[in-house]
Amino acid sequence: MKAQVLWVAFVCFFLNSAEAQIQENRLTLRLTKDVFSDSFLLVFKENGKEAIDDQDAQKIGDGYVSISSLHSKEIKLAIEERAYPTQNIEMALFVKGYETGYYHLFVEATDFKGTGIRLTLYDKLLNKKTPILFNGITCYGFTIDLAVLESQGGNRFSMQFNKVSKNPSLSVVEGALMAFPNPFRDNLFLDVKDNHTPLVEIRLKDLMGRIVWRREFNEVQKNDVLTLEGLQLIPGMYLLEWRDRNDPKKFKTLKIMKH
């Protein structure tokens, strides 16, 4: 009898340990307006499934504000568990507000480093893409107008999950800084490796020395991958400048090519 108890305890310990080792990442979206709020939770797991099953929770009704994922046949989910994407995917979101006015959409993501996945919130109405921070909260403010059908519902917002490949033959490296892909089209990624800093400015210059794109990034951490998006530039050679605003000595320049 004692041996049986010890065997059951061992099996339970083994199962719990195996479950604890399963990689998992969470993405929480919270829609707010004044005192009203609603949330949607997306969980990526190594053993997750593509099909909707008992691990998912369907959205029941809509309150003053409502947010959920939206699937075929108008299925809305409040909690969704999925396998890590192996290719670029786009998930439609259902967003609803009870009155015309200004709303906030907060996106909180755990650390997706090592998965090769980049997260972007896409506002189709304004044709605006917002990169999502890892281990932090991204806030997106927008207006819902009840007189404009496209300002809410299932056709405005989506979450984009992009697989990024760090192919050494399609990258350019300067010290501990790597830009890829090279050549690039619309989006360029910058692996900062050991270049952690509270504030960095990224500039793109043409060969005449003119600044054609610039942006500041706050709280850049070691091994972060920064997304430089919306680079609507003419094909050709450009200079990418890394400027640490707190340490002018940390200045790097990379030559990159636009397709």
Side-chain angles (χ1 to χ4, degrees), residues 101-186:
Y102 199 71
Y103 292 73
H104 288 96
L105 182 55
F106 297 92
V107 185
E108 182 175 4
T110 56
D111 192 346
F112 277 71
K113 293 174 186 174
T115 65
I117 300 174
R118 312 308 302 166
L119 284 64
T120 305
L121 176 67
Y122 183 27
D123 184 343
K124 300 177 184 178
L125 181 63
L126 302 181
N127 192 27
K128 184 177 181 180
K129 294 184 177 182
T130 303
I132 302 303
L133 301 174
F134 292 153
N135 281 339
I137 299 177
T138 305
C139 178
Y140 183 78
F142 65 100
T143 299
I144 288 180
D145 186 346
L146 298 185
V148 180
L149 183 63
E150 296 81 6
S151 70
Q152 62 176 332
N155 295 317
R156 177 169 183 175
F157 288 103
S158 66
M159 283 298 307
Q160 296 180 337
F161 304 90
N162 297 314
K163 290 287 290 182
V164 179
S165 175
K166 300 180 185 179
N167 189 334
S169 64
L170 298 176
S171 64
V172 57
V173 180
E174 171 61 32
L177 196 66
M178 180 173 69
F180 61 97
N182 188 48
F184 70 97
R185 293 189 181 276
D186 296 325

Side-chain angles (χ1 to χ4, degrees), residues 30-39 64-67:
R30 182 165 58 91
L31 178 66
T32 68
K33 172 73 167 73
D34 301 327
V35 299
F36 303 104
S37 68
D38 189 39
S39 298
Y64 286 102
V65 296
S66 181
I67 183 169

Side-chain angles (χ1 to χ4, degrees), residues 23-238:
Q23 184 175 352
E24 175 180 303
N25 285 104
R26 290 173 173 252
L27 184 69
T28 303
L29 289 84
R30 182 165 58 91
L31 178 66
T32 68
K33 172 73 167 73
D34 301 327
V35 299
F36 303 104
S37 68
D38 189 39
S39 298
F40 162 68
L41 174 63
L42 174 64
V43 181
F44 283 119
K45 281 189 172 182
E46 287 183 337
N47 61 348
K49 298 179 180 179
E50 297 297 332
I52 296 175
D53 57 19
D54 292 340
Q55 301 301 317
D56 306 311
Q58 192 163 346
K59 189 78 172 182
I60 306 298
D62 296 320
Y64 286 102
V65 296
S66 181
I67 183 169
S68 62
S69 62
L70 183 64
H71 297 268
S72 59
K73 299 181 181 180
E74 299 299 313
I75 297 177
K76 302 175 189 175
L77 296 178
I79 300 175
E80 185 167 349
E81 184 178 294
R82 287 288 170 267
Y84 284 96
T86 57
Q87 58 185 353
N88 296 344
I89 63 171
E90 185 169 4
M91 173 182 289
L93 300 175
F94 179 85
V95 172
K96 180 181 178 182
Y98 71 104
E99 66 175 5
T100 294
Y102 199 71
Y103 292 73
H104 288 96
L105 182 55
F106 297 92
V107 185
E108 182 175 4
T110 56
D111 192 346
F112 277 71
K113 293 174 186 174
T115 65
I117 300 174
R118 312 308 302 166
L119 284 64
T120 305
L121 176 67
Y122 183 27
D123 184 343
K124 300 177 184 178
L125 181 63
L126 302 181
N127 192 27
K128 184 177 181 180
K129 294 184 177 182
T130 303
I132 302 303
L133 301 174
F134 292 153
N135 281 339
I137 299 177
T138 305
C139 178
Y140 183 78
F142 65 100
T143 299
I144 288 180
D145 186 346
L146 298 185
V148 180
L149 183 63
E150 296 81 6
S151 70
Q152 62 176 332
N155 295 317
R156 177 169 183 175
F157 288 103
S158 66
M159 283 298 307
Q160 296 180 337
F161 304 90
N162 297 314
K163 290 287 290 182
V164 179
S165 175
K166 300 180 185 179
N167 189 334
S169 64
L170 298 176
S171 64
V172 57
V173 180
E174 171 61 32
L177 196 66
M178 180 173 69
F180 61 97
N182 188 48
F184 70 97
R185 293 189 181 276
D186 296 325
N187 296 334
L188 182 68
F189 301 95
L190 196 62
D191 190 336
V192 306
K193 298 186 180 297
D194 292 329
N195 295 283
H196 52 282
T197 175
L199 180 63
V200 67
E201 180 185 32
I202 308 297
R203 293 182 179 182
L204 290 183
K205 291 183 177 181
D206 61 19
L207 295 184
M208 299 295 292
R210 295 171 297 193
I211 299 175
V212 296
W213 186 94
R214 66 174 297 278
R215 182 179 171 187
E216 290 185 347
F217 292 86
N218 295 318
E219 300 300 330
V220 177
Q221 302 295 323
K222 182 178 180 180
N223 293 323
D224 273 354
V225 177
L226 307 181
T227 302
L228 315 185
E229 64 170 2
L231 304 180
Q232 303 298 324
L233 308 174
I234 61 175
M237 183 76 71
Y238 293 89

